[in-house]
Amino acid sequence: MARRFGEFELVAQIFAPLARDAHGAFGLTDDVALLVPKPGEEIVLKTDSLVEGVHFRRDDPPATVGQKALRRALSDLAAKGAAPVAYLLAIALPEWIDTGWLEEFARGLSRDQTELGVSLHGGETNATPGPLTITVTAVGALPAGMLIRRIGAEPGDTVFVTGTIGDAGAGLAMLAGRTAAIAGAERDFLISRYRRPSPRLALGLALRGIAHASIDVSDGLVADLGHVADVSDVRIEIDSAAIPLSDALRQCCGAEREARILAATAGDDYEIAFTAPPGAESPIRAFGQKTGTGVTPIGRVVKGRGTVLLDETGLEIPLERRGYTHF
């Protein structure tokens, strides 16, 4: 096994360079960091953990593990309409992790910091006898009073989702050998969607003042919209035929109906599902085009409770599972 750094050498050599341009991070030489919000702004906080064997596979490339850890947390900021400002990183390292793995992990984070406009401001390093565990706390900012919450969906709203749904679940299924593998660019696309989700940060900013309620799709489209329905005290109807699917997913999953059910209940998409009032579709589509983000209307908010997936005739599709659950 390659050499491993000691704790303080690890921070200085691997993680401090990620904080080089972060005002208030003090080069990771102190116990805390300092953030000063701009006048009229509010701070938004989100913590997300990745656990080996649950959220990623040990044989995933280290760079993509780092990128997934950061992008998952930033996806929640995007769904709230917040712009990323900083992040904290806590990592518990098992014995199999060596210096080479950590250097590649940090390179992935460095590339994402440049692309996504965020810097490391601090964190924690530990050893563990258990699985590799990575926790990111993302810090965002937005104008006071503009936070887009889960609560707020209203009867008459249209339900939208960004991107395509189910790709990450299909990519994981191929890596785990649970589905027939496909070759070439389609296979690479699905696996990349599992390993490197795309937080819809630009579109999230555009939804301020337009979306009534919003959530990122992490546990599954049906499950996550179920959270919106529950706290908003409404019923959300999802038209299965309207769920946007990639060509790669169709090739992987075969029959259209089954593909849509799988897509609606798979996790790890990190797209934004949101509701907006009548008349908002035109500006939402314009924002989607401006930010290069596909946005699709997939259902409606009505009076009642719960979330249902409907077939082409308007009948509810029975679901064995509604999404991923940890417990």
Side-chain angles (χ1 to χ4, degrees):
M1 178 179 291
R3 181 179 71 93
R4 289 187 65 175
F5 285 131
E7 179 182 357
F8 297 104
E9 187 182 10
L10 168 64
V11 172
Q13 298 296 321
I14 299 292
F15 295 122
L18 297 174
R20 182 179 294 116
D21 299 322
H23 177 73
F26 312 122
L28 304 191
T29 59
D30 213 312
D31 298 312
V32 298
L34 182 66
L35 283 175
V36 180
K38 296 177 182 177
E41 284 191 341
E42 294 177 330
I43 294 297
V44 182
L45 305 175
K46 171 60 183 178
T47 296
D48 249 325
S49 292
L50 259 71
V51 179
E52 175 194 344
V54 178
H55 304 99
F56 65 94
R57 296 163 58 87
R58 182 177 292 197
D59 58 357
D60 285 343
T64 68
V65 175
Q67 290 172 314
K68 185 171 187 177
L70 179 57
R71 290 170 180 228
R72 275 168 42 100
L74 296 185
S75 177
D76 279 293
L77 296 187
K80 303 298 105 180
V85 174
Y87 72 100
L88 307 177
L89 172 69
I91 185 165
L93 301 170
E95 289 187 358
W96 64 268
I97 295 291
D98 61 21
T99 299
W101 193 98
L102 287 167
E103 289 172 339
E104 184 59 27
F105 173 84
R107 277 192 285 270
L109 286 174
S110 179
R111 288 194 289 269
D112 268 9
Q113 288 190 179
T114 300
E115 177 182 343
L116 301 173
V118 67
S119 295
L120 180 66
H121 274 60
E124 173 75 334
T125 56
N126 287 296
T128 178
L132 171 61
T133 303
I134 304 157
T135 299
V136 169
T137 297
V139 183
L142 78 178
M146 298 299 288
L147 182 70
I148 311 170
R149 298 180 58 194
R150 293 181 180 182
I151 193 170
E154 300 177 3
D157 281 359
T158 300
V159 181
F160 297 86
V161 73
T162 63
T164 54
I165 295 298
D167 297 325
L172 174 59
M174 281 194 296
L175 288 170
R178 297 197 303 265
T179 188
I182 57 176
E186 289 81 7
R187 179 181 186 277
D188 293 342
F189 170 79
L190 294 175
I191 291 175
S192 177
R193 290 274 285 159
Y194 167 67
R195 288 175 169 167
R196 296 177 68 250
S198 299
R200 305 300 186 178
L201 292 164
L203 185 73
L205 301 183
L207 293 179
R208 295 172 180 170
I210 294 179
H212 281 166
S214 180
I215 192 169
D216 85 321
V217 182
S218 55
D219 294 330
L221 182 65
V222 175
D224 287 315
L225 280 173
H227 301 319
V228 173
D230 288 346
V231 298
S232 299
D233 195 23
V234 295
R235 173 182 168 95
I236 291 180
E237 298 177 342
I238 305 169
D239 296 324
S240 61
I243 296 173
L245 304 182
S246 67
D247 292 338
L249 181 69
R250 288 188 173 95
Q251 184 176 335
C252 173
C253 296
E256 187 84 1
R257 176 185 169 95
E258 285 70 22
R260 292 185 185 280
I261 293 173
L262 288 171
T265 56
D268 268 358
D269 288 309
Y270 301 104
E271 298 291 348
I272 302 177
F274 62 96
T275 79
E281 183 169 347
S282 179
I284 287 170
R285 287 191 180 278
F287 287 134
Q289 292 176 353
K290 184 177 180 180
T291 61
T293 308
V295 185
T296 305
I298 58 168
R300 66 207 62 84
V301 181
V302 298
K303 292 181 179 180
R305 294 300 304 271
T307 300
V308 293
L309 186 66
L310 304 179
D311 65 16
E312 293 83 348
T313 68
L315 294 177
E316 181 176 351
I317 299 173
L319 299 174
E320 294 183 7
R321 63 187 296 271
R322 301 176 66 83
Y324 181 81
T325 57
H326 287 275
F327 303 102

